[in-house]
Amino acid sequence: MNKDKRLVILERLRDNNPKPETELNWSTPFELLIAVLLSAQATDVSVNKATDKLYPVANTPQSILDLGVDGVKEYIKTIGLFNSKAENVIKTCRLLVELHNSEIPENREALEALPGVGRKTANVVLNTAFGWPTIAVDTHIYRVSNRTKFAMGKTVDDVEQKLLKVVPKEFKVDVHHWLILHGRYTCIARKPRCGSCMIEDLCEFKEKVYPES
Protein backbone atom coordinates (compact mmCIF):
# COMPACT_ATOMS: atom_id res chain seq x y z
CA MET A 1 0.00 0.00 0.00
CA ASN A 2 1.36 3.40 -0.91
CA LYS A 3 1.74 6.51 1.25
CA ASP A 4 -1.08 8.45 -0.44
CA LYS A 5 -3.62 5.70 0.09
CA ARG A 6 -2.65 5.34 3.76
CA LEU A 7 -3.09 9.07 4.24
CA VAL A 8 -6.64 9.04 2.82
CA ILE A 9 -7.53 6.06 5.04
CA LEU A 10 -6.29 7.89 8.13
CA GLU A 11 -8.11 11.08 7.15
CA ARG A 12 -11.38 9.19 6.73
CA LEU A 13 -11.01 7.43 10.06
CA ARG A 14 -10.22 10.75 11.73
CA ASP A 15 -13.12 12.58 10.10
CA ASN A 16 -15.49 9.84 11.24
CA ASN A 17 -14.19 9.86 14.83
CA PRO A 18 -12.08 12.95 15.61
CA LYS A 19 -11.56 12.14 19.28
CA PRO A 20 -11.55 8.37 19.68
CA GLU A 21 -11.47 6.84 23.14
CA THR A 22 -11.01 3.41 24.63
CA GLU A 23 -14.22 1.52 25.40
CA LEU A 24 -12.84 0.54 28.79
CA ASN A 25 -14.28 2.56 31.68
CA TRP A 26 -11.65 4.52 33.63
CA SER A 27 -11.14 7.85 35.34
CA THR A 28 -7.53 7.64 36.57
CA PRO A 29 -4.35 6.13 35.08
CA PHE A 30 -4.51 3.46 37.78
CA GLU A 31 -8.06 2.46 36.86
CA LEU A 32 -6.99 2.28 33.22
CA LEU A 33 -3.97 0.10 34.02
CA ILE A 34 -6.06 -2.40 35.98
CA ALA A 35 -8.78 -2.45 33.31
CA VAL A 36 -6.25 -3.13 30.55
CA LEU A 37 -4.56 -5.80 32.66
CA LEU A 38 -7.94 -7.49 33.11
CA SER A 39 -8.84 -7.19 29.40
CA ALA A 40 -6.36 -9.79 28.12
CA GLN A 41 -8.42 -12.47 26.32
CA ALA A 42 -11.61 -10.81 27.57
CA THR A 43 -14.04 -8.31 26.10
CA ASP A 44 -14.15 -4.67 27.20
CA VAL A 45 -17.83 -5.19 28.07
CA SER A 46 -17.01 -7.98 30.53
CA VAL A 47 -14.18 -5.94 32.08
CA ASN A 48 -16.42 -2.88 32.49
CA LYS A 49 -19.08 -4.97 34.24
CA ALA A 50 -16.47 -6.08 36.76
CA THR A 51 -14.72 -2.74 37.28
CA ASP A 52 -18.02 -0.86 37.55
CA LYS A 53 -18.58 -2.87 40.75
CA LEU A 54 -14.94 -2.93 41.89
CA TYR A 55 -13.92 0.72 41.50
CA PRO A 56 -16.62 2.27 43.73
CA VAL A 57 -15.26 0.00 46.49
CA ALA A 58 -11.55 0.09 45.68
CA ASN A 59 -9.81 2.15 43.00
CA THR A 60 -6.34 2.82 44.42
CA PRO A 61 -3.37 0.47 44.79
CA GLN A 62 -3.72 0.39 48.58
CA SER A 63 -7.49 -0.13 48.67
CA ILE A 64 -7.25 -3.00 46.19
CA LEU A 65 -4.32 -4.43 48.13
CA ASP A 66 -6.52 -4.34 51.22
CA LEU A 67 -9.08 -6.53 49.44
CA GLY A 68 -6.53 -9.31 49.01
CA VAL A 69 -6.45 -11.88 46.22
CA ASP A 70 -9.71 -13.56 47.23
CA GLY A 71 -11.46 -10.21 47.55
CA VAL A 72 -10.37 -9.17 44.06
CA LYS A 73 -11.49 -12.53 42.67
CA GLU A 74 -15.02 -11.91 43.90
CA TYR A 75 -15.26 -8.84 41.67
CA ILE A 76 -13.55 -10.26 38.58
CA LYS A 77 -14.67 -13.91 38.61
CA THR A 78 -16.84 -13.36 35.51
CA ILE A 79 -13.70 -12.49 33.48
CA GLY A 80 -11.58 -15.15 31.79
CA LEU A 81 -8.34 -16.17 33.57
CA PHE A 82 -9.56 -14.37 36.70
CA ASN A 83 -7.40 -16.42 39.07
CA SER A 84 -4.09 -15.44 37.54
CA LYS A 85 -5.32 -11.90 36.87
CA ALA A 86 -6.26 -11.43 40.53
CA GLU A 87 -2.76 -12.54 41.56
CA ASN A 88 -1.20 -10.08 39.09
CA VAL A 89 -3.46 -7.22 40.20
CA ILE A 90 -2.41 -7.70 43.83
CA LYS A 91 1.29 -8.01 42.95
CA THR A 92 1.09 -4.93 40.74
CA CYS A 93 -0.65 -2.92 43.46
CA ARG A 94 1.99 -3.94 45.99
CA LEU A 95 4.79 -2.76 43.69
CA LEU A 96 2.98 0.51 42.95
CA VAL A 97 2.69 1.20 46.69
CA GLU A 98 6.25 0.13 47.53
CA LEU A 99 8.15 1.52 44.54
CA HIS A 100 6.06 4.26 42.96
CA ASN A 101 4.25 6.03 45.81
CA SER A 102 0.97 4.54 44.49
CA GLU A 103 1.36 6.46 41.21
CA ILE A 104 1.38 4.97 37.71
CA PRO A 105 4.87 5.51 36.28
CA GLU A 106 4.95 7.33 32.95
CA ASN A 107 7.80 5.10 31.91
CA ARG A 108 7.76 2.05 29.65
CA GLU A 109 10.42 0.08 31.52
CA ALA A 110 8.75 0.63 34.89
CA LEU A 111 5.32 -0.29 33.51
CA GLU A 112 6.58 -3.49 31.87
CA ALA A 113 8.20 -4.50 35.16
CA LEU A 114 4.73 -4.77 36.74
CA PRO A 115 3.25 -8.31 36.91
CA GLY A 116 0.88 -9.03 34.04
CA VAL A 117 1.88 -5.88 32.17
CA GLY A 118 3.51 -6.53 28.79
CA ARG A 119 4.41 -4.23 25.93
CA LYS A 120 0.84 -3.99 24.64
CA THR A 121 -0.59 -2.97 28.04
CA ALA A 122 2.21 -0.46 28.57
CA ASN A 123 1.52 1.01 25.13
CA VAL A 124 -2.19 1.42 25.92
CA VAL A 125 -1.50 3.16 29.24
CA LEU A 126 1.19 5.44 27.80
CA ASN A 127 -1.05 6.33 24.87
CA THR A 128 -4.45 6.64 26.53
CA ALA A 129 -3.51 8.01 29.95
CA PHE A 130 -0.48 10.09 29.01
CA GLY A 131 -0.96 10.90 25.31
CA TRP A 132 2.19 9.19 24.05
CA PRO A 133 2.29 8.35 20.30
CA THR A 134 2.53 4.63 21.06
CA ILE A 135 0.58 2.02 19.08
CA ALA A 136 -0.66 -1.04 20.96
CA VAL A 137 -1.28 -3.92 18.56
CA ASP A 138 -3.96 -6.39 19.62
CA THR A 139 -5.70 -9.07 17.54
CA HIS A 140 -8.05 -6.52 15.93
CA ILE A 141 -5.26 -4.17 14.88
CA TYR A 142 -3.08 -7.05 13.71
CA ARG A 143 -5.94 -8.34 11.54
CA VAL A 144 -6.94 -4.96 10.10
CA SER A 145 -3.34 -3.95 9.36
CA ASN A 146 -2.60 -7.19 7.52
CA ARG A 147 -5.97 -7.66 5.82
CA THR A 148 -6.12 -4.15 4.36
CA LYS A 149 -2.36 -4.27 3.59
CA PHE A 150 -2.01 -1.00 5.54
CA ALA A 151 0.90 -2.33 7.62
CA MET A 152 1.78 -5.96 7.12
CA GLY A 153 3.77 -8.11 9.52
CA LYS A 154 4.06 -11.70 10.67
CA THR A 155 3.92 -10.83 14.39
CA VAL A 156 2.25 -8.13 16.48
CA ASP A 157 5.68 -6.60 17.05
CA ASP A 158 6.31 -6.49 13.29
CA VAL A 159 2.97 -4.74 12.74
CA GLU A 160 3.66 -2.28 15.56
CA GLN A 161 7.04 -1.30 14.09
CA LYS A 162 5.54 -0.97 10.60
CA LEU A 163 2.71 1.24 11.89
CA LEU A 164 5.16 3.44 13.76
CA LYS A 165 7.09 3.81 10.52
CA VAL A 166 4.23 4.52 8.08
CA VAL A 167 1.73 6.50 10.21
CA PRO A 168 2.42 10.26 10.06
CA LYS A 169 3.04 12.03 13.37
CA GLU A 170 -0.32 13.85 13.40
CA PHE A 171 -2.22 10.55 13.45
CA LYS A 172 -0.02 8.50 15.81
CA VAL A 173 -1.80 9.25 19.08
CA ASP A 174 -5.24 8.20 17.78
CA VAL A 175 -4.50 5.48 15.21
CA HIS A 176 -4.59 2.70 17.84
CA HIS A 177 -8.18 3.57 18.72
CA TRP A 178 -9.32 3.96 15.10
CA LEU A 179 -7.92 0.61 14.04
CA ILE A 180 -9.19 -1.31 17.05
CA LEU A 181 -12.72 0.09 16.65
CA HIS A 182 -12.62 -0.62 12.91
CA GLY A 183 -11.61 -4.21 13.62
CA ARG A 184 -14.18 -4.62 16.37
CA TYR A 185 -17.20 -3.35 14.44
CA THR A 186 -16.50 -3.38 10.70
CA CYS A 187 -13.44 -5.41 9.71
CA ILE A 188 -14.48 -8.30 11.95
CA ALA A 189 -12.68 -11.62 11.95
CA ARG A 190 -14.89 -14.16 10.20
CA LYS A 191 -17.01 -12.08 7.86
CA PRO A 192 -15.83 -8.49 7.40
CA ARG A 193 -18.59 -5.95 6.73
CA CYS A 194 -17.06 -4.64 3.51
CA GLY A 195 -20.42 -3.31 2.28
CA SER A 196 -20.56 -0.77 5.10
CA CYS A 197 -16.83 -0.01 5.33
CA MET A 198 -15.73 3.60 4.93
CA ILE A 199 -12.35 2.58 3.48
CA GLU A 200 -13.56 -0.31 1.30
CA ASP A 201 -12.40 1.39 -1.92
CA LEU A 202 -8.90 1.87 -0.51
CA CYS A 203 -8.53 -1.51 1.18
CA GLU A 204 -6.36 -4.03 -0.68
CA PHE A 205 -8.04 -7.16 0.72
CA LYS A 206 -8.78 -9.40 -2.28
CA GLU A 207 -11.62 -11.46 -0.79
CA LYS A 208 -14.07 -8.75 0.17
CA VAL A 209 -17.46 -9.77 1.54
CA TYR A 210 -20.70 -8.04 0.60
CA PRO A 211 -24.30 -8.69 1.70
CA GLU A 212 -26.30 -10.73 -0.78
CA SER A 213 -28.71 -8.51 -2.72
Side-chain angles (χ1 to χ4, degrees):
M1 180 173 287
N2 64 41
K3 181 179 174 183
D4 292 340
K5 197 180 279 189
R6 286 196 189 96
L7 183 60
V8 178
I9 286 174
L10 291 167
E11 287 173 343
R12 285 189 194 173
L13 292 171
R14 179 184 62 189
D15 291 347
N16 180 66
N17 188 2
K19 294 184 178 180
E21 296 179 352
T22 176
E23 294 188 316
L24 290 169
N25 294 340
W26 68 286
S27 57
T28 66
F30 174 71
E31 288 185 359
L32 177 66
L33 174 69
I34 297 304
V36 179
L37 198 155
L38 294 175
S39 71
Q41 297 180 47
T43 65
D44 287 0
V45 172
S46 68
V47 173
N48 288 339
K49 283 181 180 177
T51 58
D52 285 351
K53 293 177 182 176
L54 171 64
Y55 290 158
V57 175
N59 70 338
T60 64
Q62 187 60 58
S63 59
I64 286 185
L65 206 50
D66 292 343
L67 288 176
V69 173
D70 289 338
V72 171
K73 283 182 185 178
E74 280 302 306
Y75 287 98
I76 69 167
K77 61 188 177 183
T78 53
I79 300 174
L81 308 175
F82 74 93
N83 284 311
S84 59
K85 287 176 181 178
E87 298 275 358
N88 283 334
V89 165
I90 290 296
K91 290 174 185 173
T92 284
C93 288
R94 185 170 290 117
L95 288 179
L96 288 172
V97 170
E98 293 174 355
L99 302 179
H100 301 291
N101 197 30
S102 294
E103 297 291 326
I104 300 301
E106 190 178 342
N107 175 287
R108 177 184 297 284
E109 195 173 323
L111 283 170
E112 291 187 23
L114 299 171
V117 178
R119 182 175 181 84
K120 186 181 79 173
T121 298
N123 275 341
V124 172
V125 172
L126 291 171
N127 174 272
T128 305
F130 300 114
W132 284 32
T134 54
I135 303 174
V137 177
D138 70 346
T139 54
H140 294 300
I141 295 174
Y142 179 80
R143 179 177 67 254
V144 170
S145 297
N146 276 294
R147 183 185 272 167
T148 61
K149 309 289 194 288
F150 187 95
M152 299 177 71
K154 291 184 178 178
T155 67
V156 290
D157 289 339
D158 290 344
V159 170
E160 180 187 340
Q161 294 310 313
K162 186 70 183 287
L163 286 168
L164 288 169
K165 182 179 178 182
V166 303
V167 173
K169 184 178 179 181
E170 66 180 295
F171 299 103
K172 273 203 172 85
V173 170
D174 292 325
V175 71
H176 155 81
H177 295 301
W178 291 326
L179 293 178
I180 197 170
L181 292 170
H182 193 68
R184 188 171 287 165
Y185 296 110
T186 303
C187 197
I188 57 177
R190 292 186 181 177
K191 196 174 181 182
R193 295 166 178 151
C194 302
S196 59
C197 175
M198 73 182 76
I199 60 169
E200 179 270 341
D201 57 318
L202 300 164
C203 168
E204 296 183 3
F205 182 49
K206 289 186 171 63
E207 300 163 32
K208 290 177 181 168
V209 180
Y210 301 98
E212 293 181 14
S213 54

